[in-house]
Amino acid sequence: MSLLTGYSSLFLTMRILVIGDVVARPGRIAVLERIQDLREQHHIDLAVMNAENVAGGFSITPSLADELFASGIDVMTSGNHIFDKREVIPYIARQERLLRPANYPLGTPGSGLWIGEVKGTRVAVCNLIGRVFMGPADDPFRVADEVVKSIPPEVRVRVVDMHAEATSEKVAMGWFLDGRVSSVTGTHTHVQTADERILPSGTAYLTDIGMTGSHSGVIGMNREDVIARFTSVTTRRAENSTGDTRICAALIDVDEETGRARDIKRLNLPHES
Ligand SMILES: [Fe+2]
């Protein structure tokens, strides 16, 4: 690498904000109220969020998705709850910036991969779902391999949301994709982990970004309701919790020329509406 190339690459950094599972009204409002400030404060080029829990904890509606896109979110990933609302089916079929897991069966509406342009640079965002303690899905590793091979080589900036329960499955995916994508970050557990790092071949990794929503309950639900469900055989509907709202996210810097991550930071920001 010439000195000149080295200098130029210093300035070709794409800064990506990946927001963990946005849960129900508290999470939604926090994103709507803060996304522009976050974009400006951190000089964000690309804002991605996981949207599978936006509507009361289950899926997202077209109007809520439109509102979040209009507020400053560029791409949404999802997971096991994405089709809990039927109206998302025609929406996801036409809105290419709302992803569902790529390893869902062939014929599932929507796509697990988005390729677009950010400040003149092409970027890819991919959504995968795990199989350990999760519903049925195709092998995320085999599908990840296929997806990565399908991305044109000139698309160097590649962001992966691995929506999975088991930490081991997410760690394995990080190693599996190290050097082939810019970042692998996890969602689904709603609990932020503290293991962010750059893997040896240049992939930024974090097992779980954590939940954007109310942290006063149990992963976004009212704590008394959840405790009742754990301590009784009777079923009790768990309402969404409120209070102690936080925005959990990862801030990732990627070298646009090589696709290698330069830095990853965890964010865990209190939010008062
Ligand atoms: Fe999930």
Side-chain angles (χ1 to χ4, degrees), residues 5-271:
T5 307
Y7 264 115
S8 68
S9 67
L10 280 176
F11 300 99
L12 288 171
T13 297
M14 184 167 297
R15 179 160 282 182
I16 303 165
L17 180 72
V18 186
I19 301 174
D21 308 64
V22 176
V23 178
R25 182 178 167 79
R28 202 167 69 229
I29 297 300
V31 171
L32 291 171
E33 290 183 353
R34 289 284 287 282
I35 186 64
Q36 279 306 326
D37 285 348
L38 287 170
R39 288 197 76 125
E40 287 169 24
Q41 181 186 351
H42 295 289
H43 309 289
I44 303 298
D45 300 308
L46 173 68
V48 179
M49 63 165 260
N50 187 290
E52 71 144 3
N53 303 122
V54 164
F58 301 96
S59 187
I60 188 167
T61 64
S63 61
L64 291 176
D66 286 342
E67 191 179 7
L68 285 157
F69 281 131
S71 76
I73 295 294
D74 298 307
V75 181
M76 296 187 203
T77 56
S78 64
N80 50 301
H81 286 301
I82 185 59
F83 294 116
D84 286 356
K85 297 225 178 306
R86 304 292 296 174
E87 59 264 44
V88 88
I89 293 173
Y91 183 81
I92 205 170
R94 67 173 186 272
Q95 175 49 274
E96 61 181 13
R97 290 187 292 141
L98 174 60
L99 302 179
R100 46 79 172 166
N103 54 319
Y104 271 178
L106 283 175
T108 303
S111 173
L113 174 68
W114 174 81
I115 297 177
E117 200 170 291
V118 175
K119 60 168 189 175
T121 299
R122 292 176 80 199
V123 303
V125 180
C126 173
N127 191 185
L128 298 165
I129 194 165
R131 294 192 295 184
V132 180
F133 308 126
M134 303 286 286
D138 293 345
D139 177 357
F141 294 87
R142 181 180 57 76
V143 172
D145 198 47
E146 291 172 0
V147 168
V148 166
K149 286 174 179 164
S150 78
I151 299 172
E154 66 270 21
V155 181
R156 304 301 303 158
V157 180
R158 304 169 175 187
V159 176
V160 174
D161 174 5
M162 175 63 173
H163 193 79
E165 182 76 36
T167 51
S168 59
E169 197 175 17
K170 290 189 265 196
V171 172
M173 186 61 77
W175 286 116
F176 186 71
L177 292 177
D178 182 25
R180 295 197 281 170
V181 302
S182 309
S183 68
V184 175
T185 49
T187 53
H188 177 71
T189 70
H190 297 193
V191 178
Q192 188 176 74
T193 57
D195 59 339
E196 72 275 18
R197 61 172 164 163
I198 309 294
L199 295 172
S201 295
T203 296
Y205 178 79
L206 174 62
T207 295
D208 207 294
I209 298 172
M211 174 181 68
T212 292
S214 165
H215 285 245
S216 71
V218 179
I219 62 170
M221 291 174 283
N222 182 289
R223 57 182 181 250
E224 286 80 14
D225 294 340
V226 176
I227 291 168
R229 287 170 66 159
F230 277 123
T231 56
S232 165
V233 295
T234 60
T235 56
R236 170 169 163 174
R237 180 181 156 78
E239 300 293 336
N240 298 130
S241 62
T242 57
D244 192 13
T245 298
R246 294 181 222 162
I247 295 172
C248 287
L251 200 55
I252 302 163
D253 285 347
V254 177
D255 182 320
E256 293 179 25
E257 287 184 351
T258 64
R260 291 175 69 107
R262 289 202 175 106
D263 191 27
I264 178 168
K265 286 189 173 62
R266 267 182 302 126
L267 299 180
N268 194 324
L269 307 170
H271 178 75

